[in-house]
Amino acid sequence: MGSVTGAAADERLRRWRLVLGGDSADGTGRALTGQDAAMDGALTALYGGGDSGTSRRSGGNRSAGLGASAPSVARWLGDIRTYFPTSVVQVMQRDAIQRLGLSALLLEPEMLEAVEADVHLVGTLLSLNKAMPETTKETARAVVRKVVADIEKRLATRTRATLTGALDRSARVSRPRHRDIDWDRTIRANLKNYLPEYGTVVPERLIGYGRASQSVKKEVVLCIDQSGSMAASVVYASVFGAVLASMRSLSTRLVVFDTAVVDLTDQLDDPVDVLFGTQLGGGTDINRALAYCQSRITRPADTVVVLISDLYEGGIRDEMLKRVAAMKASGVQFVALLALSDEGAPAYDRDHAAALAALGAPAFACTPDLFPEVMAAAIEKRPLPIPDTTANP
């Protein structure tokens, strides 16, 4: 029993030593060897402080040791993939780009081949797109395509199934032909007309489905803020846009904006093309973007407009709100998402969010897993499944 307790205590001391970094004041008195020393060195290179030339393999003080050398960074990327799980590697890569200014090194093909691809890396690459040399672009597209394929594999099937059901339900008619009657819903809607003496329900109102049709049933407009803070949302929205565009019964338009508006609908057959058509960063003019979207709406009662933005408006605030009100008054289902990502709600303009909520369009952050349910609710014109954890002004 004593040896077990001693082993547990030794493991706790080892973990504290890795966390505290081995400074003379850390109080552990523990030296690291072998793989622990290598892990410690990888952590030091990123999270250490002081002169970048100091090494800690020998137990010295913490220091940032990546510098700006592509070979050293490539080695470090290989080390962290060896010692840490993928989820931790992705966090460390993101921290390295932010803390140590390594964005420029991602313009080198060798570096891109070494990194662990995720949504955040795609956002960084898109922000560097205009500065990317031709020798790097194909590698960058391959990295982005891998991430897009992973997202699509995870979300596409459920999205199509959820929205197909919503579209079918939204097409129900009140005077169906006999073969189109939805008997389950018809019986439930007429239970008050149950005649016990006959053991039957007399249906006053028949409920059914509209006959299957290849024609477009609903129109969807995705209006995406491409300011730098919305990078992950841009990635997910582009993938969802491609999935929605693949459904015959939906007509999907995808618009991105900063202070200018770009319609990328023609590229929706390939979300990678959509992503490389964006330009992350810059200002924001929501009013101009909504004006463009509003001008393209031909069937307002059958249209869903999804604005994905942190609502920091650089354009005309009152005009923006008037456009939302006008669209809703015409029958458009308007959805305002502060983010479409797994990161929760970003910083956002609370005054604008409150103003939208007053118009009957509450703004909330939405995860990719919830997005199909949100779209299904909008298509069926029922209340949106707003997450309980979101505080709506």
Side-chain angles (χ1 to χ4, degrees), residues 5 40 95 121 138 150 157 267 281 338 354 384:
T5 302
D40 200 39
D95 287 347
L121 177 63
E138 283 307 310
D150 289 344
T157 300
Q267 300 177 42
L338 301 170
L384 302 180

Side-chain angles (χ1 to χ4, degrees), residues 5 36 50 85 107 117 148 162 188 199 230 245 265 268 309 357 384-385 388 390:
T5 302
D36 284 349
L107 301 180
V148 165
T162 300
R188 283 190 281 123
M230 302 297 294
T265 303
L268 273 175
S309 173
L384 302 180
D388 294 337
T390 302

Side-chain angles (χ1 to χ4, degrees), residues 44-98:
T44 295
L46 176 56
Y47 298 112
D51 297 332
S52 62
T54 305
S55 170
R56 210 183 76 200
R57 297 263 175 152
S58 58
N61 293 335
R62 281 190 179 242
S63 63
L66 289 182
S69 163
S72 67
V73 174
R75 285 194 298 272
W76 179 79
L77 287 168
D79 286 347
I80 63 174
R81 292 171 77 172
T82 299
Y83 303 129
F84 303 100
T86 297
S87 59
V88 175
V89 168
Q90 292 174 349
V91 172
M92 293 179 73
Q93 285 180 172
R94 188 157 70 249
D95 287 347
I97 291 168
Q98 294 173 350

Side-chain angles (χ1 to χ4, degrees), residues 167-186:
L167 288 163
D168 287 344
R169 289 188 293 273
S170 71
R172 286 189 173 114
V173 294
S174 58
R175 299 180 63 184
R177 299 182 182 185
H178 184 273
R179 61 185 175 184
D180 295 328
I181 295 174
D182 182 342
W183 287 108
D184 180 63
R185 284 176 58 88
T186 295

Side-chain angles (χ1 to χ4, degrees), residues 39-283:
M39 292 174 62
D40 200 39
L43 292 168
T44 295
L46 176 56
Y47 298 112
D51 297 332
S52 62
T54 305
S55 170
R56 210 183 76 200
R57 297 263 175 152
S58 58
N61 293 335
R62 281 190 179 242
S63 63
L66 289 182
S69 163
S72 67
V73 174
R75 285 194 298 272
W76 179 79
L77 287 168
D79 286 347
I80 63 174
R81 292 171 77 172
T82 299
Y83 303 129
F84 303 100
T86 297
S87 59
V88 175
V89 168
Q90 292 174 349
V91 172
M92 293 179 73
Q93 285 180 172
R94 188 157 70 249
D95 287 347
I97 291 168
Q98 294 173 350
R99 292 166 60 97
L100 303 179
L102 302 182
S103 295
L105 292 179
L106 293 178
L107 301 180
E108 301 182 19
E110 297 80 6
M111 283 291 298
L112 285 179
E113 291 170 355
V115 295
E116 190 75 37
D118 67 352
V119 169
H120 302 286
L121 177 63
V122 170
T124 300
L125 291 177
L126 296 178
S127 68
L128 297 171
N129 184 26
K130 301 303 180 184
M132 195 174 291
E134 290 299 323
T135 55
T136 307
K137 285 188 175 180
E138 283 307 310
T139 305
R141 288 184 71 89
V143 171
V144 172
R145 190 170 297 282
K146 178 182 183 302
V147 174
V148 165
D150 289 344
I151 295 173
E152 196 165 8
K153 181 179 179 181
R154 176 165 68 95
L155 300 172
T157 300
R158 189 168 68 85
T159 298
R160 292 190 185 99
T162 300
L163 297 193
T164 296
L167 288 163
D168 287 344
R169 289 188 293 273
S170 71
R172 286 189 173 114
V173 294
S174 58
R175 299 180 63 184
R177 299 182 182 185
H178 184 273
R179 61 185 175 184
D180 295 328
I181 295 174
D182 182 342
W183 287 108
D184 180 63
R185 284 176 58 88
T186 295
I187 291 171
R188 283 190 281 123
N190 290 277
L191 285 176
K192 64 181 180 179
N193 301 318
Y194 177 68
L195 300 179
E197 62 271 27
Y198 295 103
T200 189
V201 170
V202 178
E204 290 182 350
R205 182 168 63 94
L206 299 177
I207 300 175
Y209 295 96
R211 301 189 68 179
S213 171
Q214 297 299 320
S215 63
V216 171
K217 296 176 182 176
K218 296 287 183 178
E219 298 184 3
V220 176
V221 181
L222 300 178
C223 186
I224 309 167
D225 183 344
Q226 61 177 350
S227 57
S229 60
M230 302 297 294
S233 297
V234 171
V235 175
Y236 282 113
S238 298
V239 175
F240 276 118
V243 173
L244 299 183
S246 71
M247 300 179 64
R248 294 181 182 179
S249 51
L250 286 177
S251 174
T252 303
R253 182 178 296 276
L254 188 143
V255 175
V256 298
F257 67 93
D258 41 35
T259 54
V261 179
V262 181
D263 192 327
L264 298 175
T265 303
D266 291 343
Q267 300 177 42
L268 273 175
D269 58 332
D270 187 343
V272 176
D273 286 342
V274 171
L275 288 170
F276 277 95
T278 64
Q279 184 174 335
L280 292 178

